[in-house]
């Protein structure tokens, strides 16, 4: 079995997929590997899965990027299996900047309109979150897209870009080259090392609420029994204490549920992305 991820290794979806793949292999009695197919904000991975046999052997481990309007045609060739998890994002700046808190970020951003921010790709949730924040703060910044959050974060640590919003992990607190400023969700994160961070909503922009989500999709031609079997397998996996602990370690909160829940989240996010694209 293949869990196809549309971004470079190390991002939020990739981290979650690598926790789930060994348990999927155990339940199915077959090998289950994570296959990274980065490019075009997940479009290459979407095409790879849409063209595969609808037998449940090739699945898209999608991020919220699938809801981007540019992926609409590809997404129409897929059907949701399960919403596995959500990941809060965190606003991170390079530590060499004189920014130590949310208010300091605003002051510096507004005084330096040439600041650069990275993302996992144009139209990705990491892009839209940062762009929306910059716009709502009445500032101007330059977007630098990458083929995933991992290379974007590497350039942030190297001092080549100034800030980004990315999937939160406890490991971020151990990186001396960057400084975490705030989380992007409406509620504070419970993750160790991030639980003391304020939210953007309480410090800068009331009502600001942005997170990443991860979901499994199958080819649209997959039968109802195939999707039902896959959904049951993933729900069993996500109920395991060891899996839930492992997902918490990589920054993800378990969701689970029937395919219809994943469909509702996807539709709502697609509408949100569509409205953002029109602005």
């Amino acid at each position: 079995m293949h869990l196809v991820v549309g971004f470079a290794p190390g991002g939020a979806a990739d981290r979650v997929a690598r926790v789930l793949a060994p348990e999927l292999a155990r339940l199915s009695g077959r090998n289950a590997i994570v296959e990274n197919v980065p490019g075009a904000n997940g479009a290459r991975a979407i095409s790879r899965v849409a063209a595969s046999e609808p037998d449940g052997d090739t699945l898209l481990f999608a991020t919220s990027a699938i809801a981007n309007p540019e992926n609409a045609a590809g997404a129409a060739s897929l059907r949701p299996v399960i919403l596995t998890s959500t990941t809060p994002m965190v606003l991170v700046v390079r530590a060499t900047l004189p920014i130590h808190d949310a208010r300091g970020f605003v002051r510096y951003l507004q005084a330096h309109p040439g600041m650069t921010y990275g993302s996992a790709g144009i139209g990705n949730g990491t892009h839209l979150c940062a762009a929306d924040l910059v716009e709502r703060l009445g500032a101007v910044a330059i977007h630098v897209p990458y083929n995933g959050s991992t290379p974007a974060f590497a350039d942030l640590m190297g001092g080549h870009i100034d800030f980004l919003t990315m999937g939160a992990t406890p490991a971020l607190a151990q990186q001396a080259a960057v400084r975490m400023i705030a989380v992007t969700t409406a509620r504070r994160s419970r993750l160790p090392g991030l639980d003391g961070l304020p939210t953007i909503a309480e410090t800068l922009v009331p009502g600001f609420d942005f997170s990443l989500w991860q979901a499994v999709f199958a080819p649209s031609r997959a039968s109802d029994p195939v999707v039902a079997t896959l959904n049951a397998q993933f729900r069993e996996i996500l109920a395991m204490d060891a899996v839930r602990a492992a997902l918490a370690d990589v920054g993800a909160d378990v969701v689970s549920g029937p395919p219809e829940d994943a469909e509702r989240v996807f539709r709502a996010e697609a509408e949100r992305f569509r409205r953002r694209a029109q602005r």
Side-chain angles (χ1 to χ4, degrees), residues 3 5 7-23 33-36 61 247 250:
L3 290 180
V5 177
F7 299 90
D14 181 75
R15 294 193 301 269
V16 174
R18 291 181 189 278
V19 170
L20 302 184
E23 296 299 335
I33 65 171
V34 176
E35 179 183 346
N36 296 93
F61 202 80
L247 290 178
V250 299

Side-chain angles (χ1 to χ4, degrees), residues 114-206:
M115 286 183 73
T116 55
Y117 67 95
S119 78
I122 296 174
N124 184 271
T126 56
H127 170 210
L128 297 184
C129 178
D132 193 46
L133 176 61
V134 169
E135 180 182 299
R136 293 172 73 172
L137 292 174
V140 176
I142 300 170
H143 176 221
V144 183
Y146 294 82
N147 276 332
S149 290
T150 301
F153 185 63
D155 264 11
L156 179 69
M157 293 184 63
H160 302 297
I161 56 176
D162 297 317
F163 69 96
L164 54 79
T165 54
M166 63 179 291
T169 69
L172 277 174
Q174 311 303 319
Q175 301 293 339
V178 301
R179 186 174 295 122
M180 298 186 298
I181 300 300
V183 292
T184 65
T185 46
R187 293 183 294 179
R188 294 193 179 199
S189 173
R190 299 187 303 271
L191 295 175
L194 283 76
D195 46 1
L197 283 179
T199 66
I200 289 175
E202 67 185 291
T203 54
L204 300 177
V205 182

